[in-house]
Amino acid sequence: MIQLKSRREIECMKQAGCIAASALAAAGRAVQEGITTGELDRLIHHFITSHGAEPTFLGYGGFPGSACISINDEVIHGIPGKRALKYGDLVKIDVGATYNGYVGDCANTFVVGDCDDEAKKLIDVTRQCFYEGIAHAQVGNRISDISHAIQTYVEQNGFSVVRKYVGHGVGSELHEDPEVPNFGSPGKGARLLAGMTIAIEPMVNQGTFDVRVLSDGWTVVTRDRKLSAHYENTIVITENGPVILTAPEEE
Ligand code: MG
């Protein structure tokens, strides 16, 4: 069942979203050659807890980190640890913060130093397809209007969207109804209403959209081991259009 959020709940989600987005931005600034994913995870844990929030992912389904950190062909759910970043790596960081019982969920793709033009295009298309999607996050549209806009933009640019993992409703729980796929034909799924809060998170692959899970039980990788990028924000649908709730603090 889709829970519409009250004005008060949306305000709580905005606070949680700000902490999550600011932790993500801080981790992005720390991305450099030699730092380990475990060190980035500790930075995120410290940022979230020192702002009075909890890292939503820590212990979720048994996940051992405060953030998911996935490199290159790893799509999502990478476990932070001893791996040190190398020049040219694509680093996907996914962060959730729970504050006063409400969740903000966001992700971004960072580059260690510099990467080739094709990888840069992958990152740009992944970010832009999110904005193509939320342009359709309007009261009266349906969920798959967002999905279709994302898939169309990605495929026009020669990349593919992951099918097996999708965006989701978010609120007092990390994963609520409805599912928000990044693919599909328009005009399907739940009708969008003011007060719906959803995490839209395109995962975009350079090659095949097909993925598999590594033997650690968590890390999702591309089947062809080509690159993948990820971008995510939590949004609320309002009568005046979509509003991003995972906006970082002004610096
Ligand atoms: Mg999410």
Side-chain angles (χ1 to χ4, degrees), residues 57 94 105-107 166-168 170 174-175 199-201 230 232 234:
F57 300 168
D94 195 343
D105 185 10
C106 52
V166 296
H168 49 92
V170 56
L174 174 60
H175 293 113
I200 299 177
E201 52 174 321
H230 188 199
E232 176 183 29
T234 299

Side-chain angles (χ1 to χ4, degrees), residues 110-185:
F110 303 96
V111 182
V112 182
D114 202 4
C115 61
D116 64 33
D117 287 348
E118 183 69 1
K120 273 182 200 150
K121 183 182 171 190
L122 178 70
I123 295 167
D124 289 346
V125 166
T126 306
R127 183 185 166 87
Q128 186 56 35
C129 75
F130 166 87
Y131 289 95
E132 300 292 326
I134 67 165
H136 294 265
Q138 307 289 344
V139 170
N141 282 355
R142 290 187 185 271
I143 283 288
S144 83
D145 295 326
I146 300 170
S147 316
H148 182 68
I150 292 172
Q151 181 182 15
T152 302
Y153 185 80
V154 168
E155 292 181 355
Q156 275 169 356
N157 281 282
F159 300 126
S160 67
V161 285
V162 171
R163 311 288 202 269
K164 206 169 172 190
Y165 299 88
V166 296
H168 49 92
V170 56
S172 55
E173 300 290 334
L174 174 60
H175 293 113
E176 298 184 351
D177 288 336
E179 286 195 340
V180 186
N182 299 302
F183 61 95
S185 46

Side-chain angles (χ1 to χ4, degrees), residues 10-113:
I10 290 163
E11 202 44 53
C12 289
M13 287 185 67
K14 195 180 263 180
Q15 291 174 332
C18 179
I19 294 169
S22 303
L24 177 61
R29 288 191 294 272
V31 163
Q32 58 174 306
E33 209 173 347
I35 195 169
T36 67
T37 56
E39 287 168 328
L40 289 173
D41 186 64
R42 284 192 286 282
L43 181 157
I44 289 163
H45 185 276
H46 176 74
F47 190 101
I48 291 173
T49 54
S50 67
H51 284 76
E54 290 156 34
T56 315
F57 300 168
L58 186 59
Y60 187 89
F63 189 75
S66 294
C68 299
I69 305 181
S70 313
I71 299 171
N72 298 336
D73 60 326
E74 297 172 356
V75 180
I76 47 167
H77 301 168
I79 300 172
K82 291 185 178 143
R83 184 168 176 179
L85 301 186
K86 295 200 184 92
Y87 193 88
D89 279 346
L90 262 57
V91 185
K92 282 80 58 161
I93 306 180
D94 195 343
V95 176
T98 306
Y99 186 71
N100 283 336
Y102 289 89
V103 176
D105 185 10
C106 52
N108 205 351
T109 301
F110 303 96
V111 182
V112 182

